[in-house]
Amino acid sequence: MKKHTYSIVLTDTVVQEVDRLAAQKGTNRSTMMNQILADYFSCKTPEKQMASVFSLIEQQMQNVFRVQLQASDAMISLHSALQYKYRPTVRYRVELLRIPTENSIGWLKISCRTQNQALLHSMQQFFRFWMHLELQTYPAYRTVPELYVLTENGMVRRLLRHNLETEEEVADAISSYIRQFDRLLKQYFAGLQQQVPAEALQAALEQSYLQMQAGLS
């Protein structure tokens, strides 16, 4: 849905009310006016589509994750606590593209706010292991540019479009991906806490991953 610049004449009172509402919503005047007019004419804007996806994600995840809506209409954050020293929190931030490309709908940014270097190292090890699992299971992913980006305290994963068309399909796919990642991450840290030998832990994680991909758990 393309946008263009138009010149319109409005009274100062109307503009003040638009600005007031925009400030409450954490957006700008143009976006707020676009949303107001879209509501009036029952138009489905990209912002409304993203809001619908996030609402569906929230409904599916709120019983397991702490959901945090962002000031931006294009993102939502989910928080999950690890069974580890000091119970660090892992944040899953979903950022959607206003206009999806042919192959991408946005990004999933996974991070852990901690200064514990041992924890950060373990997280990096798991990110690399997850990447290995995905690329081994889905070899076609190897051709996707910048599918993963590792950062100092996290990982960014491009969200692929696949054949997702409806808001429900997008929300289901994102929610399922995060649940699977979080479940395996917690299994990994539980194994570390129990001092499970590395080879045995890797084998157990691989088995759990394959079961999740097959829809068996």
Side-chain angles (χ1 to χ4, degrees):
M1 190 177 294
K2 295 181 179 179
K3 286 189 175 182
H4 299 280
T5 301
Y6 299 93
S7 296
I8 60 175
V9 179
L10 300 172
T11 64
D12 290 341
T13 302
V14 170
V15 173
Q16 289 171 4
E17 287 301 308
V18 171
D19 288 346
R20 180 185 61 79
L21 189 56
Q24 290 179 358
K25 299 289 186 179
T27 187
N28 56 49
R29 179 187 295 170
S30 295
T31 300
M32 194 70 252
M33 290 182 64
N34 191 69
Q35 290 179 7
I36 291 170
L37 292 172
D39 286 341
Y40 183 84
F41 291 109
S42 299
C43 297
K44 197 146 196 179
T45 63
E47 288 77 16
K48 282 185 170 294
Q49 291 175 324
M50 289 188 292
S52 177
V53 169
F54 292 147
S55 177
L56 290 166
I57 290 176
E58 182 178 10
Q59 291 173 26
Q60 294 186 34
M61 307 289 267
Q62 62 184 353
N63 292 331
V64 181
F65 297 82
R66 179 166 60 86
V67 182
Q68 178 184 2
L69 297 176
Q70 308 290 144
S72 169
D73 294 328
M75 66 179 69
I76 187 174
S77 288
L78 309 170
H79 299 261
S80 177
L82 286 177
Q83 295 294 332
Y84 193 76
K85 300 175 183 178
Y86 316 116
R87 288 183 62 82
T89 298
V90 178
R91 181 176 72 172
Y92 301 92
R93 188 170 76 182
V94 180
E95 297 184 6
L96 295 180
L97 289 169
R98 184 178 177 277
I99 301 178
T101 65
E102 181 179 353
N103 299 316
S104 178
I105 60 174
W107 296 269
L108 172 63
K109 298 184 177 182
I110 307 167
S111 61
C112 183
R113 295 185 61 182
T114 180
Q115 299 300 318
N116 186 314
Q117 292 303 308
L119 173 59
L120 289 175
H121 176 73
S122 295
M123 289 290 294
Q124 289 289 327
Q125 292 291 98
F126 181 80
F127 292 146
R128 291 186 173 89
F129 178 68
W130 178 268
M131 291 160 54
H132 166 74
L133 284 177
E134 283 204 311
L135 295 177
Q136 181 175 264
T137 307
Y138 304 103
Y141 284 0
R142 298 180 186 277
T143 63
V144 179
E146 296 184 337
L147 179 61
Y148 312 96
V149 176
L150 287 177
T151 63
E152 184 177 349
N153 68 337
M155 181 183 81
V156 180
R157 166 63 151 80
R158 183 181 295 276
L159 297 174
L160 303 180
R161 187 164 188 171
H162 295 299
N163 295 318
L164 305 174
E165 297 295 340
T166 68
E167 294 149 18
E168 290 78 8
E169 289 173 341
V170 172
D172 288 347
I174 293 173
S175 298
S176 177
Y177 188 90
I178 293 174
R179 280 196 300 268
Q180 290 181 8
F181 184 97
D182 191 69
R183 185 184 304 177
L184 212 66
L185 178 64
K186 288 177 176 174
Q187 182 180 344
Y188 166 72
F189 273 99
L192 292 183
Q193 293 281 76
Q194 297 164 14
Q195 298 184 335
V196 176
E199 290 187 4
L201 178 56
Q202 178 176 326
L205 292 172
E206 288 178 348
Q207 182 65 25
S208 294
Y209 180 80
L210 292 175
Q211 288 177 346
M212 288 190 290
Q213 299 313 300
L216 299 179
S217 65

